[in-house]
Amino acid sequence: MDTAALVDRIPVSPLAKDETHSVIDVRGVNKNYKRTAALRDIHLNVQHGEVFGLIGPDGSGKSSLIRAIAGVQQYDAGIITVFGSRVDSERSAERVKSRIGLMPQGLGNHLYPELSIEENIDYFAGLRLVAKETQGERKDRLLEMTRLKPFRRRPMKQLSGGMKQKLGLVCTLIHQPELVLLDEPTTGVDPVSRRDFWSILTDLVHESGMTAIISTAYMDEAAYMDRLALFMDGKIISQGSEDSLLALAPGTIVSYKSETAHLETQRVQAKYPQVQALGDMVRVFVRDEEPEAACQSISQIASPNHGAFTATPPELDDVVASLLTDEAAESSSATESNQLDETDAARRSPLHPDRPALIHAEQLVRDFGKFRAVDHVCLEVAAGRIFGLLGSNGAGKTTVIKMLTGLLPPTSGAGSVAGAPIGKASQAIRERIGYMSQSFSLYLDLTALENLEFYAGVYGLFPKQRRKRIPELIQKVGLHGYERRLTADLPMGIRQRLALGCALVHRPRVIFLDEPTSGVDVLGRRQFWEILVRLARDEGVAILVTTHYMVEAEHCDDLALMYAGQVVAAGTPETLRINLQQNAGTPLSFATSSPTHALRVARENGFQRAATFGRNLRMLSGDIERDKRRLSGLFQAENIDVSDWQRDEVTMEDVFVDSILSQEQEMR
């Protein structure tokens, strides 16, 4: 049963539909952690039935505000009112806690590892005094919505990161709260499951009377929010719709192809800080200029062999990254360091097809009892190339990495890493690789410098080598100014740079990164990928990375998409996009006031791969005009208003979503 049909079975909240009073009212709230101001004079108001979003960089105060509203954290000054009741102490919070569902930040931090999915849900249902006669039906409905039903007896500790997040959501919703507070609930969740999550949540809000306040690291999720608050440095710098936030940094995105995109970004970055190399495409944010003027400005500094310019409006990612750059230009050492002489870089950086394969896997299989987690996977990564391993939660990506790094023996198959065979030379492999696991694995009670020194010792660097290597790493990964700070106090993006520095301390020829930017803000993610691209292009490191950010997939030279343990698609990003357009059509999107109803109608009439995106529906069409006429007739018959029909470019998210949905249809 699809999400649209499931939502129709959700009972309406007892909260009156015509209720118009504020659910949350925050006035002049301040919160300090010793000398650090986490919240500074915060004012916001959330109305009944709203989806209110909190966006902003790591450490900007979003989580502190959510915890204060939930009554699980004290604040220093101001007033917070929830359901008309003032929340300023543990005792006062008890008056509203039964009406609230809280999902804290972190992969399953509030769940119990030894309990199964079903046992965790039953525990939270009992904790929330859910009646036995309604608990079973409610549990089954939520498990079906979140695609967890087949795994209901699996222990929580054996779940992938995204499955933990979905279980956390079920446990939060099991008592049908009137207000849900979700702190980055989709971090670590694959794009298909993220769309399912938002479809479920927004329809619960709009059809069942629930109110939601949600923080997110994914700027594209702003499309699902009624209103947003943009946080920076403990302050709200703007509130309103997505359009009002986009207006904070007007400008134009100019894109063009370049044979040396990596070097081109270094040239352009001197004048335009927000520039990315996505494969052979250069993407530049030109602030405060209209499309024609922006293209003219870039033409004056672009290399002579550039391709045609394309001008598009900036996305929220671009605006937030630009504002963050303005806010903290002095901390952009990650983008300023390691500026290579172009002649030297050109000699070292181009991709050479004859470079040796440093990662090789042939017919890898891994069974856990009767369950096959990895099913005859083949892949190859040459020196100087970035290989992206994509897939839904539980597809087998992390298991592949564990076999290649010697942490898990394969059931069958063969492979080698940096010249050492997997399964037989696990110690040799570990000495030659750098590895960042899905969960943060450094020592929180050590400073950044102490962690680097510890890992230098683990990898056997002599004191003289450490004195030279550690300063190099601090510059390379952008840790200047953070050396003496406790790791526990570092923002998420800086922690991940530190983890990368520790993985690089022994100069490995190969690095494995398992969702390295999960939960990191937009600017942190861009800076992290600049480092990875330099490692590959300038130092010839072979990189294998998993990610759920489809924009990041564009940085990869090669991609493999996994489903149910198998590789179901492989190639360069451009090849995968072209194949999708040739086989399935061009993306068609349109706005509707009833996305769930429209989705159900579309799927019942043959558009099986249609998906919601905010208040829009998006699908692939082999004949735009024909499908537009047919859909218009179907929606008119159902009294569904639609508008703003658009033909869109194929994205990597389209590739991912279509591949997964087509595989799911074949499995039915």
Side-chain angles (χ1 to χ4, degrees):
M1 186 179 295
D2 65 33
T3 301
L6 284 164
V7 169
D8 286 346
R9 296 166 49 195
I10 299 168
V12 175
S13 166
L15 204 62
K17 283 284 186 150
D18 61 351
E19 187 175 1
T20 57
H21 69 257
S22 298
V23 174
I24 300 170
D25 190 47
V26 179
R27 301 182 186 179
V29 168
N30 290 273
K31 172 65 180 177
N32 296 314
Y33 297 104
K34 296 181 180 179
R35 297 181 181 179
T36 301
L39 297 173
R40 307 189 200 188
D41 194 30
I42 299 298
H43 293 261
L44 62 81
N45 185 279
V46 181
Q47 297 293 315
H48 167 250
E50 264 196 313
V51 179
F52 194 98
L54 309 180
I55 63 174
D58 307 317
S60 60
K62 305 184 299 296
S63 296
S64 294
L65 180 60
I66 285 177
R67 291 195 294 265
I69 292 170
V72 298
Q73 177 176 277
Q74 296 296 306
Y75 50 96
D76 301 324
I79 298 173
I80 294 178
T81 304
V82 180
F83 295 119
S85 179
R86 185 165 174 171
V87 176
D88 56 6
S89 66
E90 187 174 341
R91 187 172 183 177
S92 66
E94 290 298 326
R95 294 196 292 267
V96 297
K97 279 186 178 178
S98 63
R99 305 171 70 181
I100 294 175
L102 171 65
M103 184 173 168
Q105 190 179 50
L107 293 173
N109 283 350
H110 62 308
L111 304 176
Y112 293 87
E114 301 300 327
L115 299 183
S116 68
I117 286 177
E118 190 161 32
E119 288 167 340
N120 265 288
I121 299 170
D122 290 342
Y123 173 79
F124 279 91
L127 200 64
R128 290 294 195 166
L129 304 178
V130 178
K132 290 289 185 183
E133 54 268 25
T134 61
Q135 179 179 323
E137 182 184 353
R138 196 178 296 174
K139 176 173 62 179
D140 286 344
R141 184 172 63 249
L142 290 169
L143 284 171
E144 200 166 351
M145 283 179 173
T146 52
R147 304 170 187 248
L148 291 176
K149 199 167 186 176
F151 312 101
R152 62 195 306 161
R153 291 182 175 82
R154 183 178 294 184
M156 175 269 187
K157 64 183 179 182
Q158 294 180 10
L159 301 179
S160 67
M163 294 170 78
K164 290 177 183 176
Q165 293 296 76
K166 289 191 280 188
L167 174 57
L169 178 64
V170 172
C171 292
T172 301
L173 296 176
I174 192 64
H175 67 295
Q176 290 186 343
E178 298 168 39
L179 168 65
V180 290
L181 304 168
L182 309 177
D183 197 0
E184 297 197 8
T186 55
T187 294
V189 178
D190 68 75
V192 173
S193 296
R194 278 207 296 137
R195 289 191 183 191
D196 286 347
F197 166 88
W198 278 106
S199 180
I200 293 164
L201 185 65
T202 53
D203 286 306
L204 281 169
V205 169
H206 293 298
E207 297 187 20
S208 302
M210 185 187 293
T211 304
I213 185 165
I214 305 168
S215 69
T216 181
Y218 295 91
M219 293 300 103
D220 62 349
E221 292 183 346
Y224 297 98
M225 314 289 194
D226 296 309
R227 287 190 299 137
L228 297 154
L230 175 57
F231 279 71
M232 286 189 186
D233 196 24
K235 299 174 289 187
I236 294 178
I237 67 168
S238 184
Q239 291 188 59
S241 66
E242 182 182 8
D243 287 342
S244 68
L245 266 61
L246 286 168
L248 294 174
T252 301
I253 298 294
V254 178
S255 303
Y256 61 98
K257 285 190 174 183
S258 171
E259 294 178 0
T260 55
H262 170 49
L263 300 180
E264 187 77 0
T265 59
Q266 294 184 15
R267 182 201 322 279
V268 176
Q269 202 169 53
K271 186 172 182 181
Y272 298 102
Q274 291 305 313
V275 55
Q276 298 171 280
L278 303 175
D280 62 355
M281 185 69 69
V282 179
R283 186 176 184 276
V284 190
F285 182 24
V286 184
R287 283 279 294 268
D288 303 316
E289 289 193 18
E290 295 296 322
E292 186 176 349
C295 291
Q296 181 63 30
S297 296
I298 297 301
S299 69
Q300 295 174 3
I301 59 174
S303 59
N305 60 344
H306 65 76
F309 295 127
T310 301
T312 56
E315 299 173 355
L316 194 56
D317 262 12
D318 303 305
V319 169
V320 173
S322 184
L323 293 172
L324 288 172
T325 303
D326 292 345
E327 183 83 5
E330 70 278 0
S331 64
S332 61
S333 56
T335 62
E336 294 172 358
S337 61
N338 293 330
Q339 296 294 322
L340 296 173
D341 173 81
E342 289 195 10
T343 303
D344 182 55
R347 177 174 54 83
R348 294 160 55 192
S349 66
L351 297 177
H352 296 293
D354 58 345
R355 281 187 171 182
L358 294 181
I359 303 173
H360 177 75
E362 186 173 348
Q363 303 296 333
L364 282 185
V365 173
R366 176 64 199 194
D367 296 329
F368 294 96
K370 295 182 180 180
F371 174 69
R372 177 153 291 182
V374 174
D375 189 3
H376 295 89
V377 166
C378 302
L379 60 86
E380 192 167 271
V381 188
R385 291 186 77 84
I386 302 175
F387 189 100
L389 197 57
L390 311 179
S392 54
N393 299 121
K397 307 182 300 295
T398 299
T399 304
V400 168
I401 287 180
K402 286 183 176 179
M403 286 191 285
L404 291 172
T405 54
L407 297 175
L408 195 65
T411 302
S412 64
S416 63
V417 176
I422 65 173
K424 297 180 180 178
S426 58
Q427 184 58 40
I429 289 175
R430 291 173 200 170
E431 292 173 355
R432 301 176 192 182
I433 67 168
Y435 177 43
M436 278 182 65
S437 64
Q438 196 174 44
S439 57
F440 187 72
S441 57
L442 302 186
Y443 294 93
L444 297 178
D445 55 348
L446 298 182
T447 66
L449 184 59
E450 288 168 341
N451 264 297
L452 287 169
E453 290 174 339
F454 173 79
Y455 276 89
V458 168
Y459 283 110
L461 271 67
F462 294 114
K464 184 177 180 180
Q465 293 173 309
R466 294 182 209 176
R467 287 193 294 271
K468 181 180 179 182
R469 181 59 174 163
I470 289 176
E472 288 178 354
L473 285 171
I474 289 171
Q475 183 185 32
K476 182 185 295 290
V477 302
L479 292 174
H480 182 69
Y482 297 98
E483 301 95 318
R484 305 292 177 183
R485 288 181 58 176
L486 282 178
T487 302
D489 297 335
L490 295 176
M492 178 65 77
I494 304 301
R495 283 193 194 185
Q496 294 302 84
R497 288 193 224 165
L498 173 59
L500 178 61
C502 291
L504 295 173
V505 72
H506 57 305
R507 300 182 187 275
R509 299 172 61 200
V510 176
I511 56 174
F512 293 88
L513 309 168
D514 198 1
E515 296 185 30
T517 58
S518 184
V520 178
D521 66 67
V522 55
L523 184 59
R525 292 199 303 271
R526 291 186 177 189
Q527 291 174 341
F528 191 93
W529 272 92
E530 286 178 8
I531 297 167
L532 295 187
V533 170
R534 285 201 304 269
L535 283 170
R537 303 295 184 259
D538 303 337
E539 300 184 22
V541 176
I543 299 174
L544 191 150
V545 59
T546 70
T547 181
H548 284 141
Y549 293 94
M550 291 300 101
V551 172
E552 293 183 350
E554 300 283 1
H555 289 287
C556 299
D557 302 305
D558 306 284
L559 296 167
L561 175 58
M562 292 186 66
Y563 178 82
Q566 297 180 326
V567 173
V568 296
T572 67
E574 184 175 13
T575 298
L576 292 173
R577 286 195 301 271
I578 291 172
N579 288 344
L580 178 65
Q581 187 154 10
Q582 290 176 342
N583 297 328
T586 300
L588 171 66
S589 67
F590 53 89
T592 171
S593 58
S594 305
T596 301
H597 190 188
L599 177 64
R600 183 170 62 254
V601 170
R603 288 183 174 175
E604 287 175 351
N605 288 276
F607 298 92
Q608 294 296 324
R609 299 182 194 175
T612 56
F613 189 71
R615 307 304 297 176
N616 288 10
L617 252 66
R618 186 176 171 95
M619 61 191 69
L620 294 167
S621 171
D623 187 327
I624 294 285
E625 294 305 318
R626 179 199 64 196
D627 290 341
K628 182 178 174 181
R629 286 193 301 272
R630 182 165 177 241
L631 286 165
S632 295
L634 291 169
F635 295 145
Q636 186 175 6
E638 294 285 336
N639 294 316
I640 300 172
D641 294 328
V642 295
S643 61
D644 197 21
W645 296 86
Q646 292 188 15
R647 179 195 301 258
D648 298 330
E649 295 294 323
V650 175
T651 66
M652 280 309 304
E653 184 152 331
D654 292 321
V655 173
F656 184 99
V657 171
D658 187 78
S659 297
I660 298 303
L661 292 179
S662 63
Q663 291 295 320
E664 288 181 349
Q665 287 177 15
E666 290 178 11
M667 297 285 285
R668 289 173 185 164

